[in-house]
Amino acid sequence: TENKSCPRASSGISARIGYGNAYKLGAKINGKKMEGGFGLNNSPAFTVKLGYSLNKYIEIQGDISRATNFGNSDKYSNASGYGGLYIREWSDQLIISAYTANLKLTIPILLTDKVTFSPYVFGGLGRATYKAIYNEKEYYESKWRNYSQTTRYSGNSLKVGGGVDLKVYKNIFLFSEYNYQEIRFMIDDFKIAIYHSQTIGGIGLKF
């Protein structure tokens, strides 16, 4: 016979997708913060998470996030210089992709029978890739000369943050989140840590 005095724990699968802004890009070299930063503009940020709830308070997540375009560009020309027209154009682009396994802790707060407000915090570890792309074009002596360089490093990643889930209809919820990410790798004998913050909003489903 069924024991109705011992209700079944809440469990299930969730999926969420979010979009937002990545900012405060910086670096540490052997633990010392790099002065002046990278001088790059903020980047769009994108995240996808799949989770499994052990109960209504604890969820294990697989997390993919990407800052797609920390960047900057400039152009210089000198029409009156010796040797005729000179033009120089350059652009920097930095992409950071992270893959982490997170542990999420939630405190559900029932507002009405249909709406649940759920603040949460989370932390995760995984791997991340840092990809820097530099392009340059120069025009002089009636010719264009092109130069490009792509640098890629992979390392261990750390991701921590917090946010709010808001159930809006049956198994549909909205979320807003802040997170801090850091990727660590070695260049020669130097310990490098690249870090940035993200503010994300999006939609999710629970099954």
Side-chain angles (χ1 to χ4, degrees), residues 136-153:
E136 182 179 302
K137 294 198 313 183
E138 283 187 315
Y139 178 85
Y140 63 98
E141 297 178 348
S142 301
K143 293 181 180 179
W144 280 103
R145 292 169 174 80
N146 300 317
Y147 171 79
S148 80
Q149 182 179 20
T150 299
T151 305
R152 186 194 304 265
Y153 296 98

Side-chain angles (χ1 to χ4, degrees), residues 92-200:
D92 271 325
Q93 182 184 11
L94 179 60
I95 302 168
I96 298 177
S97 303
Y99 310 87
T100 58
N102 301 335
L103 183 65
K104 176 188 172 189
L105 305 177
T106 301
I107 302 176
I109 301 173
L110 185 64
L111 299 179
T112 69
D113 291 340
K114 296 182 180 180
V115 179
T116 304
F117 175 82
S118 302
Y120 64 85
V121 295
F122 71 92
L125 298 173
R127 296 286 291 178
T129 300
Y130 163 99
K131 182 179 179 181
I133 303 169
Y134 178 78
N135 290 299
E136 182 179 302
K137 294 198 313 183
E138 283 187 315
Y139 178 85
Y140 63 98
E141 297 178 348
S142 301
K143 293 181 180 179
W144 280 103
R145 292 169 174 80
N146 300 317
Y147 171 79
S148 80
Q149 182 179 20
T150 299
T151 305
R152 186 194 304 265
Y153 296 98
S154 294
N156 295 326
S157 65
L158 165 72
K159 186 175 183 179
V160 294
V164 173
D165 290 340
L166 182 64
K167 177 184 172 184
V168 292
Y169 180 74
K170 293 184 178 179
N171 61 338
I172 300 174
F173 64 93
L174 303 177
F175 74 95
S176 178
E177 176 182 298
Y178 164 83
N179 66 70
Y180 168 87
Q181 298 188 32
E182 191 170 292
I183 171 176
R184 301 171 184 174
F185 52 89
M186 296 286 294
I187 300 179
D188 297 326
D189 293 328
F190 296 98
K191 295 180 180 180
I192 310 296
I194 307 295
Y195 59 87
H196 70 280
S197 297
Q198 294 185 2
T199 302
I200 299 286

Side-chain angles (χ1 to χ4, degrees), residues 54-69:
L54 302 179
N55 54 52
K56 65 180 180 179
Y57 303 108
I58 301 174
E59 182 177 80
I60 298 171
Q61 295 178 331
D63 185 342
I64 300 173
S65 64
R66 196 174 192 197
T68 57
N69 189 13

Side-chain angles (χ1 to χ4, degrees), residues 61-83:
Q61 295 178 331
D63 185 342
I64 300 173
S65 64
R66 196 174 192 197
T68 57
N69 189 13
F70 288 109
N72 204 353
S73 62
D74 205 354
K75 179 178 180 179
Y76 170 80
S77 64
N78 181 8
S80 60
Y82 177 77

